[in-house]
Amino acid sequence: METPGMDTISSKDTFFPDNIDGTAFTGMHLCLPNKFPNGPPSAATPGLIKNMDKFTSMDLSGNGIGAASSAKLGAELKNNITLTSLDLSSNKIKDDGAGWISDALAVNKTLKQLNFHGNMVEGAGAERLAGALASNSSLLTLNMARNKLGDDGACRLAMGIEANNSLQRIELGWNNIGDEGVGRFAGGLSQNNSIECVDLSGNKVGAYGAGRLAAALEKNTSVKSLILSGNNVRDEGAVKLADALQTSTSLQSLYLQKNSIGPDGMGRLAGALCGNSSLKNLNLGWNSVGDGGVRPLARALAANSNLQSLNVAGNRIGPYGAERLAASIATNPSVTHLNVSYNNVNQTGAHRLAEALQQNTTLTHLNLTLNQIGGPGTTHLAKVLHTNTVLRVLNLQLNRMGDEGATSLADALKLNKHLEALILHGNNIGDAGATKLGSAVSLNKKLLTLDLSVNNIGAAGAGNLADALVKNKCLVNLNLKLNKVGQAGAFKFAAAMDSNTTLQSLDLSENGSLPVETMMKIQAQILTNSAASNGSMTNTLHTMSLGQTMDLAASMASPAQKQTFKV
């Protein structure tokens, strides 16, 4: 992320690093991702090395950097006092290159973020990094995801973790680390008092490894976030983590999605939640909890007043489970984000959740994507929006609501003064539903984002939505990708944009062949609106996606305009 007030040199700039003026770029960020995929040319590397002290941040990801270039970078990094962030992800650094960078880390006192993601580093490289971590006192974030550490590398890295007292975040995802490696790493973690976030996603952590991590959490008081997504902890591992939750006072976020956890594991985790006072975020998506597992979870939510975000997506939850969940959400005083997407709550479950929203005073984000809600279920939810003052984001993608559901939501939008985002992607909404939504948008004074992508909206419906933009003074993002807007609809949007001052993102991609001049006119007003919102044209980040027609438009545009096109 760029620091306000700092300029950035990126891969779009037409210079070679060896030609950088030694005084002109002090305090800048160097961004050269994928500039030299086959390795930096011999003329470029000396320029980068020579001028490293002119930058506070360097992004050299995807440049084919190997051991030789790493040696030169490491030599300069030893004495560098300006660089705080170095991104070397997706290169070819391997163990030898990691060794050179590690030698520099051992003495460097300013680097705070190092990204080694995807560099084929194995055990030997991990051992060199561990040695550096033992003496380094400045590094806060280390990303070692998608390397080849395995158990051997994790065991070696653990020695550095045990001795380090400054590192706050370590990412070890997708490294083929099993229980042996995680067990040794957990041992190092139990002695560490600085790490706040541990990411072990996509490894081979089983019940034993989960148990070792749980034991470490009972001693460690610094870890706030543990990410175990995509492992194999199953019910047995979940039980051990539940035991840790009962005593932990520091863990705030636990990510366990895709871990083959069933009702038994969920039951133990729910029991731990009843007495836990620190956990704020729990992600259990894509397990096999089912309605049986939701029952104890609902009881826990009735007793817990600290949890703020709960994800139970893809857990085979049906109407009964939704009913139990709704009953607890109705009175829960803390949950603000609830994700029940990719289940099967159907219109009955949607009705029960709608009833819960009538009582709930905290829920701001609700995701019910792909739940077979249909038009009737959507109508139940829409009625609540007439009076609900809390909900800010409602995601109803892929629910087959059709024009019936869109019409009921339109009626709600005319009265609701609090909803900021409504996601209706893939709902078979046609011109009739779009016309109703357009009428609502013309009156609504709060909605910022409306996603109507992948529906069946033609020129008539698009025209009514465009007309709404003339009166609307709040909508910022409108997505109509993959509909049937056509040239007539595009003309209506172009005319509407003459009067609109707020829309900053409009996606009309994959709507047939749209006239280039019309698209350019819309783009110009989008840029004007964005510039007015952001203070200057140069800071504009918003884009309009116009699909294939923009290939020609981009070729016609000036260099400044080309940067805004999303093709």
Side-chain angles (χ1 to χ4, degrees), residues 87-91 114-122 129 141-150 157 169-177 198-203 227:
D87 187 346
L88 295 172
S89 60
S90 303
N91 281 294
L114 178 60
N115 190 344
F116 258 128
H117 178 286
N119 267 290
M120 298 178 279
V121 178
E122 300 183 40
L129 280 167
T141 299
L142 176 61
N143 187 341
M144 292 294 296
R146 295 191 184 277
N147 280 285
K148 297 182 177 181
L149 298 181
L157 198 58
R169 180 183 180 93
I170 184 164
E171 300 179 33
L172 299 173
W174 293 277
N175 266 293
N176 200 33
I177 301 171
V198 177
D199 187 345
L200 287 162
S201 302
N203 281 292
I227 305 172

Side-chain angles (χ1 to χ4, degrees), residues 17 166 188 197 286 328 368 389 396 429 532:
S166 63
C197 178
W286 303 102
S328 60
L368 289 171
T389 62
L396 296 175
I429 297 170

Side-chain angles (χ1 to χ4, degrees), residues 234-246 254 256 261-276 282 284 292-293 296-297 299-300:
R234 296 182 177 270
D235 284 345
E236 185 182 351
V239 167
K240 295 178 180 179
L241 289 167
D243 292 340
L245 279 180
Q246 290 181 329
L254 180 59
L256 292 172
I261 297 171
D264 292 342
M266 182 67 257
R268 289 294 293 270
L269 286 168
L273 277 180
C274 291
N276 181 278
L282 178 60
L284 290 164
L297 176 61
R299 286 197 298 265

Side-chain angles (χ1 to χ4, degrees), residues 376-412:
T378 303
T379 299
H380 288 305
L381 291 165
K383 287 179 180 179
V384 176
L385 292 179
H386 286 227
T387 55
N388 182 281
T389 62
V390 182
L391 201 65
R392 297 292 183 268
V393 178
L394 179 59
N395 191 337
L396 296 175
Q397 295 183 66
L398 303 170
N399 271 297
R400 301 180 182 179
M401 68 177 64
D403 289 338
E404 177 188 355
T407 298
S408 62
L409 287 169
D411 292 339

Side-chain angles (χ1 to χ4, degrees), residues 21 34 38 106 115 129 131 136 147 156 160 163 184 192 250 327 356 387 396 406 428 442 445 456 479 488 498 538 544:
D21 182 338
N34 303 301
N38 296 317
N115 190 344
L129 280 167
N136 181 281
N147 280 285
R156 299 189 191 197
R184 180 64 185 89
N192 181 282
S250 59
T387 55
L396 296 175
N428 198 31
S442 66
K445 297 180 180 179
N456 194 32
N479 190 346
D498 285 338
T538 56
M544 180 176 68

